[in-house]
Amino acid sequence: MKIKKILVSQPKPTTDKSPYYDIAAKHGVEVVFRPFIKVEGLSAKEFRSQKINLADYTAVIFTSRHAVDHFFRLCEECRVKVPDTMRYFCTTEAIALYLQKYIVYRKRKISFGTTGKLDDPQLIAAIVKNKKEKFLFPVSDVNKDNSTILTDNKIDFTKAVMYRTVSNDIGPDEPFDYDVLLFFSPAGIATLKKDFPDFDQETNGKYIGTFGAATSKACTDAGLRLDFSAPTPACPSMTAALDAFLDSLEK
């Protein structure tokens, strides 16, 4: 079967440097970016039901740009002025730099890790150094409980759900003529099954690739055939796995 069109269930890259474009050129395929899930912020009313007073906190921990956006949005909607003394702790430098959208960037008030994980030694060292602060930890409704490292270090923190992940449904008039489907979360698989309850992978002749163990399990649990996955020692990224898969089909 000749692969012509590939669905990447993620937002379109912000630059032309994406490896997906290299794959499209190398294999002569069309790559379409179409998220199966989207992030939706909680309303101020919904947030207030958690009984969290934003003005009580002196530091914030960010693990995504979504968390940054919805923290500052809710502060504005709840009429809470973010003080200049607020300290920020981010899991990556990219998230730290993204703060410039909302504040004047001052390195002495912003710390970040290098691994992208909350338990990054550099990030935790910075948090522990400032453990006298009262930390707010903005998360989504389906967040992984990865805050054990904070508890272990006796950090005074509060998890605050500020946004949720919802299905980005495929409309009845939207073409679904893809040969390969790439999924990055169990929610993406759930959206596929919701929008196409009678989806028959064999009849439709579609290949499926997944990223992450949880997504792979969701795929097989849904009764779908998993054709390739990442990360693996040979293919640490989805693009590497996709490239290798297309190479194998061409051979």
Side-chain angles (χ1 to χ4, degrees):
M1 174 184 172
K2 169 63 177 173
I3 301 300
K4 298 178 181 178
K5 198 171 181 180
I6 298 171
L7 171 71
V8 181
S9 58
Q10 282 191 323
K12 185 176 181 179
T14 55
T15 71
D16 296 330
K17 302 290 186 181
S18 171
Y20 284 110
Y21 297 129
D22 297 331
I23 289 174
K26 174 183 175 182
H27 296 280
V29 297
E30 179 185 359
V31 175
V32 178
F33 297 92
R34 202 288 183 191
F36 270 39
I37 58 175
K38 59 184 177 180
V39 172
E40 177 181 275
L42 267 64
S43 67
K45 181 179 179 180
E46 290 174 313
F47 177 72
R48 289 191 187 100
S49 69
Q50 298 177 65
K51 309 296 184 184
I52 294 173
N53 182 11
L54 293 170
D56 290 344
Y57 297 88
T58 58
V60 193
I61 299 171
F62 290 125
T63 56
S64 72
R65 293 183 181 185
H66 290 307
V68 174
D69 286 334
H70 292 293
F71 168 73
F72 284 100
R73 175 186 61 81
L74 283 169
C75 282
E76 183 177 353
E77 291 181 7
C78 293
R79 298 181 182 179
V80 173
K81 186 180 186 305
V82 180
D84 293 336
T85 53
M86 182 71 78
R87 291 188 178 277
Y88 303 93
F89 299 84
C90 307
T91 50
T92 67
E93 184 178 12
I95 296 171
L97 292 172
Y98 186 69
L99 283 167
Q100 293 177 99
K101 181 177 178 181
Y102 299 98
I103 64 170
V104 176
Y105 193 94
R106 293 190 180 93
K107 288 186 178 179
R108 64 185 176 84
K109 291 182 181 176
I110 300 175
S111 303
F112 55 85
T114 57
T115 65
K117 297 180 179 179
L118 186 60
D119 61 0
D120 178 280
Q122 180 175 306
L123 178 60
I124 288 300
I127 291 174
V128 170
K129 185 179 178 181
N130 292 275
K131 67 189 309 178
K132 67 181 183 299
E133 307 290 347
K134 188 175 176 64
F135 290 82
L136 185 71
F137 186 12
V139 296
S140 75
D141 62 330
V142 291
N143 70 93
K144 296 178 182 178
D145 188 17
N146 59 352
S147 57
T148 305
I149 188 70
L150 300 177
T151 304
D152 291 345
N153 283 280
K154 297 180 171 55
I155 303 301
D156 180 9
F157 76 99
T158 301
K159 273 190 174 183
V161 176
M162 292 189 167
Y163 53 101
R164 62 171 68 92
T165 301
V166 298
S167 296
N168 188 18
D169 292 335
I170 299 168
D173 298 326
E174 186 175 341
F176 199 69
D177 53 347
Y178 305 100
D179 303 307
V180 180
L181 311 176
L182 304 184
F183 294 100
F184 300 82
S185 74
I189 298 290
T191 297
L192 174 70
K193 296 297 289 184
K194 173 187 174 186
D195 293 345
F196 300 98
D198 300 321
F199 179 78
D200 187 328
Q201 187 177 0
E202 300 298 336
T203 301
N204 294 322
K206 297 185 188 302
Y207 296 105
I208 292 178
T210 61
F211 187 85
T215 313
S216 297
K217 184 177 185 302
C219 177
T220 54
D221 286 352
L224 301 171
R225 185 190 70 245
L226 179 58
D227 297 294
F228 62 98
S229 63
T232 65
C235 300
S237 66
M238 177 62 97
T239 48
L242 174 62
D243 188 31
F245 178 70
L246 295 177
D247 279 340
S248 68
L249 288 182
E250 290 167 3
K251 290 176 182 177

